[in-house]
Amino acid sequence: LGLVQIQEAKLAAFDIIIKDDKFKLPAYPVKVMDEVIGEPDPDEMPPVTQEEEKNMEDIMKKSSKSSFGRYREIIYITTAFFLVFNLLVLGLNYYVASSISADATAIDIAGRQRMLSQRIGKAVYAIEISQRNGTPVEPHLKELNSAAQLFDETLTAFANGGEVMGNDGKMVTLRRLDSPKALVIMADLQRIWQKRKGQIAQLQTDYSNPEFLNPIVNAALAENKGMLAPMTELTNAKQSIAQARARELRLIQSGSIVAATLSFPFVLLFLIRRLRRSDAETEIAQRETEDILSTAREGLFLLNADFRIGKQFSSSLSPLLDWAVAPGADFKDYLRRSLSAKKFSDACDFIELLFN
């Protein structure tokens, strides 16, 4: 208003000089609320006791308490229960699935051992034939060394656990065999392989000696089935272990579904009891608030930013204001009929500032 008046005064054809400081506005608000709505009558406004002040603070706390706050404990307990349950089931599923994947890899490697045992026998026969026909034996020796080395590394990994070259050329980790049946098979394989391993090492230098080569060829022929049968049994043993783990996984999944189904009624009953107790506490607090508001001598009420009166207010409010107060009533209506236009505008501006 002061700026508008300055502009109007300067544009007017007056032979006077208007200084800016004459139109400076005082600190806002221009008037305090007591001056706007009038000084309270001491006889009508008794002093507030400490007990009444504490009661009003309780009302404000209870009024600002949200539904989430009331049900926070129930929400936390339910969420924690299902999170722990789901994490437990997922952890068991992951463990069993990882074991099944490792068993599948071990089955593939055990099947490769059977192939390697046949390659070793084939290389020995090829060396004997090449030596008899006078053809080069080096390619067959190379194949023999490669197959024997991979067979030995894999057998050691099965016995003690460790890494070995996989069928795809990448390193894979084999777990140590721990089942009684697999340990018995592994003991037979190691006994047979140690004998053949020594023969293969001697064959590297003495393959040209027929007196030494012929017994090795005959031994390879005789022990071929002796190597193949244990490897087949080992493969079957690993398959049995994998099938058992698959059954465990199905049992865990089925048990999880059954456990979730059976626990649902108990969780639901628990939630219902908690909700009833929480609602009962809320109802008690509501009655206490109503009792406090019905006995409070002050005009206590809540006002939102739209100048609407809240649902809860003291019973003394209507007599004090001489106005039939109802929940959701527009407080501006009371101010408009009780104050002049200027005071009404100032009061509305002041209240709006409180919400800014």
Side-chain angles (χ1 to χ4, degrees), residues 117-277:
S117 67
Q118 299 306 298
R119 280 182 58 187
I120 292 172
K122 175 187 174 183
V124 172
Y125 291 142
I127 292 173
E128 192 268 338
I129 293 173
S130 297
Q131 182 66 23
R132 188 171 60 245
N133 296 335
T135 57
V137 299
E138 285 76 12
H140 306 302
L141 285 173
K142 184 178 180 180
E143 181 181 4
L144 176 63
N145 291 334
S146 176
Q149 181 180 358
L150 185 56
F151 186 92
D152 184 66
E153 292 175 353
T154 304
L155 197 65
T156 302
F158 271 122
N160 304 322
E163 290 188 343
V164 68
M165 184 69 67
N167 294 332
D168 57 355
K170 299 180 180 179
M171 300 300 293
V172 296
T173 302
L174 295 179
R175 296 178 180 177
R176 181 180 179 274
L177 297 176
D178 52 3
S179 66
K181 183 178 180 180
L183 292 175
V184 173
I185 297 172
M186 182 57 60
D188 292 340
L189 277 172
Q190 287 179 322
R191 177 179 53 81
I192 297 172
W193 174 244
Q194 289 302 321
K195 181 179 179 181
R196 177 170 286 195
K197 184 178 178 181
Q199 294 173 346
I200 292 173
Q202 191 175 2
L203 185 62
Q204 303 296 322
T205 56
D206 297 338
Y207 63 87
S208 59
N209 186 355
E211 295 181 357
F212 174 72
L213 182 60
N214 292 335
I216 292 180
V217 172
N218 294 332
L221 180 62
E223 296 175 357
N224 185 41
K225 292 183 179 180
M227 287 286 292
L228 185 61
M231 290 308 308
T232 302
E233 293 180 4
L234 181 62
T235 303
N236 293 336
K238 295 299 295 183
Q239 288 178 342
S240 300
I241 295 174
Q243 292 173 357
R245 295 189 190 278
R247 288 193 295 270
E248 290 178 2
L249 180 59
R250 287 193 294 269
L251 288 175
I252 291 174
Q253 294 172 343
S254 301
S256 302
I257 295 174
V258 173
T261 304
L262 294 178
S263 62
F264 179 76
F266 295 98
V267 174
L268 185 61
L269 180 61
F270 171 79
L271 291 178
I272 291 175
R273 295 179 62 181
R274 286 276 184 170
L275 288 173
R276 286 179 176 176
R277 188 175 69 179

Side-chain angles (χ1 to χ4, degrees), residues 78-119:
T78 307
T79 304
F81 172 78
F82 281 105
L83 281 178
V84 172
F85 182 79
N86 290 333
L87 289 175
L88 180 61
V89 174
L90 289 176
L92 291 174
N93 285 340
Y94 178 80
Y95 172 75
V96 177
S98 300
S99 300
I100 292 175
S101 177
D103 291 336
T105 302
I107 292 172
D108 291 339
I109 300 299
R112 187 184 66 182
Q113 286 291 85
R114 294 188 297 178
M115 180 270 295
L116 290 175
S117 67
Q118 299 306 298
R119 280 182 58 187

